[in-house]
Amino acid sequence: MLNNNKIEVWGYKTFRPFRIYWALHEYNLNFKKYKIGSRTGETQTNEYLKINSKGKIPTFKHNNITITESAAAVSYIIDNFKKPKDFYIPKTLAEKAKLEEWCIFSLMELDCLSIYILRRHEKTENLGLAHIYGEADNAIKTARMHFEKMIGACEKYVPKNSWLFGDSPSQADIIFTSCLIHCNSFNLKIKSDNINLYMERAKSRKIFQTAYKDCFND
């Protein structure tokens, strides 16, 4: 396992940097925060573009390792630092595959094909960026339909009284929950009592609360 050494994170106030904040807090790792926002001009400076040529947030850096995708940064943290007692790590290849299934499902079906489409094409008054990417009513409609369908598809696999893989949170919980925490902002209704209760359990975790405050407060 690696020593803590120097960990840095660029970005805050959105659910993608929050994934990294949550993982770091679960592992009780100290890190330096650069609270820069998307579409503020802060990600387009020459200084930042040298770190992340995509000009986006988040960016994670540990010593000489730089990672510019949030899910990959979470994986790096989980794989390279000492595991806390209260955190789930798969022990078999089958368990690992099921965990990865949850992560990929959340990133693709919930984030990319639902929430981010709303972010790009909703009007400004609905927290969207249609003034940049253009209005697309049909895309918005289908994104909402897809979200509801995918929530329905995964509902029965969400435990009624625990995290996705038992009594401790996992990488899958970080990715899945992060995709749901902004649903109210886009008026995405989660019609599953099971998932709503799961979300309440996640939000009641003190480490979640600390990470959320750290990420979303100035």
Side-chain angles (χ1 to χ4, degrees):
M1 295 297 174
L2 299 174
N3 294 323
N4 189 334
N5 295 326
K6 187 176 183 180
I7 299 174
E8 300 169 279
V9 179
W10 286 259
Y12 79 132
K13 279 193 175 179
T14 77
F15 63 92
R16 289 172 179 169
F18 173 66
R19 295 166 181 160
I20 301 174
Y21 280 65
W22 187 359
L24 288 167
H25 278 281
E26 288 287 348
Y27 274 60
N28 195 30
L29 294 170
N30 296 318
F31 60 104
K32 184 173 182 179
K33 299 175 284 289
Y34 301 92
K35 291 195 168 183
I36 63 173
S38 59
R39 300 176 182 85
T40 61
E42 295 169 302
T43 62
Q44 303 305 310
T45 65
N46 289 334
E47 181 182 8
Y48 185 72
L49 290 171
K50 289 178 182 178
I51 300 168
N52 183 347
S53 59
K54 298 173 186 175
K56 301 178 72 174
I57 57 171
T59 297
F60 167 90
K61 187 175 182 182
H62 174 240
N63 294 334
N64 296 321
I65 303 295
T66 300
I67 301 173
T68 60
E69 292 293 335
S70 60
V74 172
S75 292
Y76 180 90
I77 295 163
I78 290 169
D79 291 341
N80 287 286
F81 295 96
K82 184 179 179 181
K83 185 186 93 65
K85 291 182 180 179
D86 188 19
F87 199 83
Y88 171 85
I89 302 293
K91 294 182 174 64
T92 68
L93 292 177
E95 290 174 347
K96 184 176 185 293
K98 293 304 293 183
L99 184 143
E100 289 178 346
E101 180 182 34
W102 266 107
C103 293
I104 294 168
F105 164 79
S106 300
L107 292 168
M108 293 303 300
E109 306 297 346
L110 300 181
D111 185 344
C112 294
L113 295 179
S114 299
I115 298 168
Y116 197 56
I117 289 176
L118 297 179
R119 173 68 170 146
R120 290 170 71 95
H121 297 297
E122 278 280 12
K123 296 178 181 178
T124 305
E125 56 265 33
N126 297 328
L127 301 181
L129 299 167
H131 60 291
I132 298 175
Y133 297 105
E135 295 184 19
D137 291 341
N138 195 50
I140 290 172
K141 179 181 177 181
T142 55
R144 292 184 178 280
M145 291 172 60
H146 186 74
F147 178 85
E148 185 171 342
K149 181 178 179 181
M150 292 300 102
I151 288 296
C154 74
E155 175 185 22
K156 65 181 179 181
Y157 301 108
V158 176
K160 295 186 181 299
N161 298 298
S162 68
W163 298 92
L164 294 176
F165 292 93
D167 294 333
S168 298
S170 68
Q171 179 180 2
D173 292 288
I174 290 175
I175 303 300
F176 181 53
T177 304
S178 72
C179 291
L180 302 178
I181 58 175
H182 283 336
C183 285
N184 288 340
S185 300
F186 295 106
N187 198 29
L188 279 169
K189 302 298 182 183
I190 299 175
K191 298 178 181 179
S192 164
D193 291 339
N194 194 28
I195 294 179
N196 282 320
L197 289 172
Y198 165 86
M199 285 294 296
E200 290 305 313
R201 292 196 300 275
K203 290 178 180 179
S204 69
R205 183 172 177 81
K206 289 184 179 180
I207 296 175
F208 174 99
Q209 294 170 359
T210 300
Y212 191 92
K213 181 179 180 181
D214 198 12
C215 182
F216 286 94
N217 289 357
D218 291 321

